[in-house]
Amino acid sequence: MPTNDSLKLYRLSLPLASLAITLMAQTGTGTLPTYTPALIIATASPLTLGLTTMIFSAIFLICQQTLKTTHGTIGLTDIWEIFLFGLLIDLWSFLFSDLANASFGTHVLCLIIASFLLAAVRILQEEAQHYVLAADALTATINHRFPLLQTWRFQVLDIIGLVLGLLLSFVFFKQLMHIGIGTLIPVFMIPFCTYVLRRGLVLIEDSDFL
């Protein structure tokens, strides 16, 4: 059963995940495959990235509920977290609005930082057990219900996001937009970053630091 500690860990992951998505999006190099359509729609319309992320997260939540799985705890709390998640993205976007004009080296650094942030989110959500982001809940549901659809690095939801992002990119801009190193690097970096963070936590626990 979920506990108050689980909920606290989950809520702690929200600002980290929203900051990671914002850092990737603001560099102009793309964002996580799952949220690529949200980024493209936000660029092509008056809607903010936070609002489009809310919309897609709500869609993920509805799909997850429709599949009726036991993975993740989906209820009123998760609905409110979707709004909070979107608002945090818009807040970070305002604070880091100048990143698009930064150097390529700065963009790469932001992508690395975002990968470590998402790795921390993964660890927090694993500890939270019952509380995960809407996209992760849907991914867990798909993997549970359709295990044969799993791929090596990209989950089914990532592939759907990439394909939809490509279609929307050419529909709105007639060219490839917001699909680049920011879309691919984190996917391959997150497992490594997760390993590094876990090793660091083990070393801290084994030392007299705490």
Side-chain angles (χ1 to χ4, degrees):
M1 292 294 293
T3 64
N4 287 334
D5 288 339
S6 296
L7 185 55
K8 289 177 183 178
L9 289 173
Y10 167 64
R11 286 175 173 167
L12 179 60
S13 73
L14 292 179
L16 300 181
S18 59
L19 176 57
I21 291 173
T22 302
L23 287 176
M24 289 184 287
Q26 290 299 102
T27 62
T29 58
T31 188
L32 292 175
T34 305
Y35 295 103
T36 295
L39 176 58
I40 292 174
I41 292 175
T43 305
S45 70
L47 303 178
T48 64
L49 178 58
L51 183 55
T52 55
T53 301
M54 288 184 203
I55 294 170
F56 274 87
S57 294
I59 293 172
F60 298 152
L61 185 61
I62 293 171
C63 291
Q64 199 273 345
Q65 288 180 312
T66 302
L67 290 175
K68 296 180 180 178
T69 182
T70 57
H71 286 267
T73 297
I74 303 301
L76 183 61
T77 299
D78 298 85
I79 294 173
W80 285 113
E81 308 307 353
I82 285 175
F83 287 102
L84 176 60
F85 191 54
L87 290 174
L88 284 170
I89 288 176
D90 282 341
L91 173 62
W92 293 127
S93 296
F94 173 76
L95 295 176
F96 293 96
S97 58
D98 293 333
L99 266 183
N101 300 321
S103 65
F104 176 76
T106 301
H107 289 174
V108 172
L109 178 61
C110 286
L111 294 179
I112 294 173
I113 293 173
S115 297
F116 273 101
L117 288 171
L118 290 171
V121 169
R122 174 179 291 185
I123 294 173
L124 286 171
Q125 290 190 157
E126 287 176 358
E127 293 296 324
Q129 297 179 353
H130 296 273
Y131 293 97
V132 294
L133 297 176
D136 294 325
L138 179 56
T139 295
T141 299
I142 293 173
N143 291 342
H144 178 69
R145 295 290 296 272
F146 311 104
L148 294 179
L149 295 180
Q150 295 185 56
T151 56
W152 179 52
R153 290 289 186 187
F154 288 86
Q155 301 288 347
V156 172
L157 200 58
D158 291 332
I159 296 173
I160 294 174
L162 277 176
V163 172
L164 183 57
L166 284 169
L167 291 175
L168 291 174
S169 180
F170 283 99
V171 166
F172 288 122
F173 305 108
K174 311 301 180 185
Q175 60 179 335
L176 190 63
M177 287 283 289
H178 296 307
I179 299 177
I181 60 173
T183 311
L184 300 176
I185 286 182
V187 174
F188 293 94
M189 279 285 295
I190 292 172
F192 170 74
C193 294
T194 303
Y195 171 78
V196 171
L197 290 180
R198 288 192 184 281
R199 289 297 300 168
L201 290 173
V202 170
L203 290 174
I204 292 174
E205 289 176 355
D206 291 342
S207 68
D208 296 328
F209 183 77
L210 295 178

